[in-house]
Each structure stands twice: as structure tokens, then as C-alpha cells.
Amino acid sequence: MNTDLDTLKSQWQNLDAAPSKADNREEMARKIIRRGIASRSEKIARFYRVNIALCLIWVGISGTFSIERIFPLWLVILMAVYFGVMAFLSFMVLERVKDIDLSRMNVVQAMESVCRLQKARMWQKAVGFALCLPLMVCLLAYFSRVSSVMLVGGIVGAIFGLFIGFVIDGRIRRQIREMESELRDSTLP
């Protein structure tokens, strides 16, 4: 019994004095950071998958608007083009998110991938706003010709949509900032 206790004690002391303990801590910290970045990129990817699905659903719904003659054909085509382009751009951003693979990348490559993700998001937002503004003007002009209640509903819907978009964009930007911060922290000694 005493020899078992002495053996256990010596193993414990060797564990404390082992030079690889710092390396193990460093490796554990890297694994935790990788998991954090992977979960953040998965959250962003999930958003863009849902966004693609919603855009494609709206392309289909736009087609039913023309069949039911709710909107004029030219307005339906504008809506379908807008949502189709946004689905394509969301797919391109999703591909940039999928490019962030920490199992195959070093920190510099991961940072470059995050920068490419930010650039793709910037293009998506710029093109989205550029296409959305004429569509909203056309929709509001059409609503004003139909009834003032539709116009007010369209304006309120646009305001709520803009607010929701800013909140979602802020969440995604925060996820990306945290990814960058964790990558920077992983390079520090």
C-alpha cells in the first residue's frame, strides 16, 4: 500500500514538473479557440442557409403574385430578380464562411479567409441596397395607387424590415469580430 502511494506521489510530482504541461495548456487553448471559431462560423453559415431558403421561397411566391394578378407583371419580375440575386449573393457569402476551415489552415490563412468573408458581405450589402431601393420605390408607388392603407402598411413594413436587418447585421458583425479577436489571441505567446 505504501509503495502504491509513493508511486502515485512520484507520478504526481513528475506531472507537475513535466515541461510539456505548458505545451498541453497551449494546445488545449488552441482547441478551445478553434471550437469557438467553428461555432461562430456555423452560426453565420446557418443564417445564410436560412436566408438562401427564404429568398428562394420569395422567388416562388413572386410567381404566384403574377398568377393571382395581385401585382403587375413588371413588379413581380423585379421582386423575383431581387430575391434571386440575393439568394445567389447569400450563397457566395456562405461559400466564404465554409472556406474557414481551421483544421487545414494556420492563423494567417484563417485571418485571410475572415477578410474574404467580410468583403463578400460588403458586396452583398451594397448590391442588396442598390437593388432594394428601386424595388421599394416601385412597391410604394404601386401601393399609393391602390390605397393609402397599403401605402402605410408598406412604409411600416419597410421600417420594421430595415430595423430587423440592422439587428441581424450587427449580430453577424459581432460574430466575425469575435472570430478575428480569437484568431489574434491565438497568435500571442
Side-chain angles (χ1 to χ4, degrees):
M1 177 80 168
N2 198 15
T3 58
D4 289 337
L5 192 55
D6 289 336
T7 307
L8 185 61
K9 187 177 176 183
S10 71
Q11 286 176 348
W12 181 259
Q13 288 172 345
N14 288 339
L15 184 64
D16 264 347
S20 64
K21 186 174 181 183
D23 294 338
N24 287 342
R25 284 185 184 161
E26 202 172 295
E27 185 60 33
M28 287 295 287
R30 284 189 184 124
K31 286 180 182 178
I32 290 169
I33 288 171
R34 284 183 180 151
R35 268 190 234 127
I37 293 170
S39 69
R40 282 180 178 64
S41 63
E42 184 54 39
K43 286 178 186 176
I44 296 170
R46 188 178 325 123
F47 166 76
Y48 280 103
R49 279 189 220 105
V50 169
N51 196 35
I52 291 167
L54 289 174
C55 286
L56 293 176
I57 288 170
W58 271 104
V59 169
I61 289 174
S62 299
T64 61
F65 287 156
S66 68
I67 294 170
E68 297 294 323
R69 300 196 190 277
I70 296 172
F71 293 113
L73 183 61
W74 63 271
L75 196 52
V76 170
I77 292 170
L78 277 178
M79 284 190 292
V81 166
Y82 171 76
F83 287 113
V85 168
M86 291 310 294
F88 174 74
L89 291 174
S90 292
F91 176 76
M92 297 305 291
V93 173
L94 178 62
E95 289 300 308
R96 297 295 75 80
V97 173
K98 289 179 181 177
D99 285 347
I100 302 171
D101 183 7
L102 297 175
S103 64
R104 295 182 299 133
M105 298 179 157
N106 61 32
V107 176
V108 173
Q109 292 169 332
M111 286 294 280
E112 289 171 351
S113 291
V114 170
C115 288
R116 284 192 297 273
L117 168 63
Q118 288 175 324
K119 188 175 179 180
R121 287 191 71 245
M122 179 194 66
W123 276 105
Q124 182 202 23
K125 288 192 294 187
V127 171
F129 277 125
L131 292 177
C132 182
L133 290 177
L135 176 62
M136 287 306 299
V137 167
C138 292
L139 279 170
L140 293 176
Y142 177 75
F143 291 162
S144 70
R145 282 189 265 143
V146 173
S147 77
S148 60
V149 174
M150 277 183 83
L151 178 63
V152 170
I155 292 170
V156 169
I159 291 170
F160 277 123
L162 193 60
F163 175 74
I164 291 169
F166 280 131
V167 168
I168 290 171
D169 184 57
R171 287 181 183 164
I172 293 173
R173 278 188 288 129
R174 186 181 70 238
Q175 295 288 337
I176 292 173
R177 269 195 316 268
E178 289 172 359
M179 283 171 52
E180 285 179 323
S181 172
E182 288 176 353
L183 284 170
R184 265 190 241 105
D185 291 346
S186 70
T187 61
L188 296 176

